[in-house]
């Protein structure tokens, strides 16, 4: 079996070096881990190096560890085993509960050798399983874990339910358009805004999809990509191209909407 490889993404140099040294102590068979100083570097290096293991700090400049993992799931080349992911976090009850609920491995800062040793043992066992099993099966397992991490905590959501949004107020020139949410075909994130697309045109609102999604009816509006939420009644079909990428054909619209691997399960045949 080839020597396993790893990438550590941590924006604090002292913690990054300490983790690298601890990993080399507890897993001497591992190739010297590569390092990334922020989320953007982590994404670029992961796609260039295609490591077996990723240790991702949850809070990094550029991209969070969770954002890196989600983007990798969409961009990872077909035919290559998806990396095993370990999230590294400062102590945070909500984060720990979320990781445990999703069955994702995590390390608390500062990382100690005993806890890291247990993680290494688990990673070795998973790498052996991955070598013997189906790549599609292990990718789907990773996607299922990321989906569970992406979903809000049920108890927290019930305790603080978001108010349902019925009307969107969007600035168009010197006017404020009042757009019924039922008229929206899809929402599309841009750099600082969300583009609201209706049959009558488009309008920008100064908010984020993360803030918007809890206010939408989840039965009607489906997130299909990190930057796209579509009203499902406007979807005519989901199609795959020769490379296996999925996109949505909309009713009475010429554009297609990309569907990421993280959300493609929504369109499996019933």
């Amino acid at each position: 079996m080839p020597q396993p490889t790893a990438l550590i993404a941590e924006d604090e140099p002292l913690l990054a070096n300490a983790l690298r040294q601890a990993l080399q102590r507890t897993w001497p068979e591992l190739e010297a881990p590569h390092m990334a100083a922020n989320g953007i570097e982590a994404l670029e290096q992961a796609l260039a190096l295609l490591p077996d293991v990723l240790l991702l700090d949850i809070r990094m400049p550029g991209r969070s560890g969770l954002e890196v993992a989600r983007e990798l799931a969409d961009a990872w080349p077909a035919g290559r085993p998806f990396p095993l992911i370990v999230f590294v976090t400062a102590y945070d009850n909500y984060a720990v509960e979320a990781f445990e609920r999703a069955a994702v491995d995590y390390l608390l800062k500062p990382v100690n050798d005993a806890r890291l040793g247990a993680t290494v043992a688990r990673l070795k066992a998973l790498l052996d399983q991955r070598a013997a099993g189906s790549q599609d099966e292990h990718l789907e397992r990773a996607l299922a874990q990321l989906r569970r991490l992406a979903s809000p905590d049920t108890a927290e959501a019930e305790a603080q339910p978001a108010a349902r949004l019925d009307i969107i107020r969007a600035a168009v020139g010197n006017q404020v358009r009042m757009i019924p949410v039922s008229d929206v075909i899809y929402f599309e994130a841009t750099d600082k805004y969300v583009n609201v697309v209706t049959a009558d045109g488009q309008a920008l609102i100064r908010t984020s999809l993360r803030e918007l999604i809890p206010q939408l009816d989840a039965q009607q509006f489906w997130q299909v990509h990190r930057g796209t939420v579509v009203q499902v009644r406007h979807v005519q079909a989901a199609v795959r191209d020769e490379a296996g990428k999925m996109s949505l054909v909309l009713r009475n619209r010429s554009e297609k909407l990309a569907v990421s691997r993280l959300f493609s399960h929504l369109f499996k045949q019933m």
Side-chain angles (χ1 to χ4, degrees):
M1 183 176 176
Q3 193 175 18
T5 59
L7 172 65
I8 296 172
E10 167 62 67
D11 64 308
E12 299 180 52
L14 290 177
L15 290 176
N17 287 326
L19 181 55
R20 189 174 194 258
Q21 292 169 12
L23 198 56
Q24 289 177 300
R25 285 195 303 273
T26 55
W27 197 352
E29 306 89 355
L30 184 72
E31 184 179 301
H34 296 270
M35 310 290 282
N38 55 60
I40 294 173
E41 278 188 23
L43 190 60
E44 292 173 349
Q45 288 199 45
L47 290 172
L49 299 169
L50 303 180
D52 297 305
V53 176
L54 274 173
L55 291 96
L56 297 174
D57 186 14
I58 280 292
R59 294 188 178 182
M60 293 184 289
R63 299 278 196 286
S64 71
L66 192 52
E67 287 171 334
V68 170
R70 291 173 186 165
E71 291 189 39
L72 280 177
D74 197 34
W76 199 258
R80 289 298 299 253
F82 194 68
L84 303 177
I85 296 176
V86 178
F87 290 106
V88 184
T89 181
Y91 186 74
D92 181 296
N93 279 330
Y94 173 71
V96 169
E97 289 170 7
F99 296 145
E100 289 175 346
R101 185 175 65 245
V104 171
D105 208 349
Y106 64 92
L107 294 167
L108 294 177
K109 299 178 186 180
V111 177
N112 63 67
D113 282 12
R115 177 68 177 86
L116 182 58
T119 295
V120 166
R122 194 174 297 114
L123 291 172
K124 287 180 177 179
L126 289 171
L127 285 175
D128 288 342
Q129 292 175 21
R130 192 176 72 175
S134 159
Q135 291 180 11
D136 289 343
E137 176 187 340
H138 292 292
L139 174 59
E140 186 51 46
R141 176 178 176 273
L143 291 173
Q145 291 174 323
L146 290 173
R147 288 178 198 125
R148 285 194 290 271
L149 273 178
S151 63
D153 181 77
T154 303
E156 184 174 326
E158 290 176 354
Q160 297 179 326
R164 185 61 49 81
L165 188 65
D166 295 316
I167 297 291
I168 294 169
R169 289 169 291 182
V172 180
N174 59 357
Q175 299 180 348
V176 176
R177 281 185 60 194
M178 308 296 282
I179 304 172
V181 169
S182 58
D183 289 352
V184 176
I185 298 173
Y186 62 93
F187 298 96
E188 185 175 42
T190 62
D191 287 340
K192 296 180 180 179
Y193 301 89
V194 166
N195 191 28
V196 182
V197 179
T198 69
D200 296 330
Q202 304 180 16
L204 294 176
I205 55 175
R206 191 187 291 272
T207 187
S208 68
L209 277 184
R210 185 174 183 176
E211 296 169 323
L212 188 62
I213 287 171
Q215 301 177 69
L216 300 174
D217 184 343
Q219 299 299 314
Q220 297 181 43
F221 288 90
W222 293 5
Q223 185 169 14
V224 297
H225 195 274
R226 66 180 179 274
T228 312
V229 173
V230 65
Q231 186 167 186
V232 71
R233 69 184 176 88
H234 292 286
V235 176
Q236 179 173 303
V239 297
R240 287 188 186 274
D241 61 19
E242 294 179 355
K245 297 287 187 181
M246 181 179 284
S247 60
L248 301 181
V249 177
L250 302 176
R251 302 182 192 281
N252 304 314
R253 304 281 300 187
S254 59
E255 72 269 35
K256 293 184 179 180
L257 302 181
V259 179
S260 73
R261 284 174 176 164
L262 199 60
F263 300 105
S264 61
H265 69 290
L266 295 170
F267 301 96
K268 285 185 177 178
Q269 184 177 352
M270 293 179 66

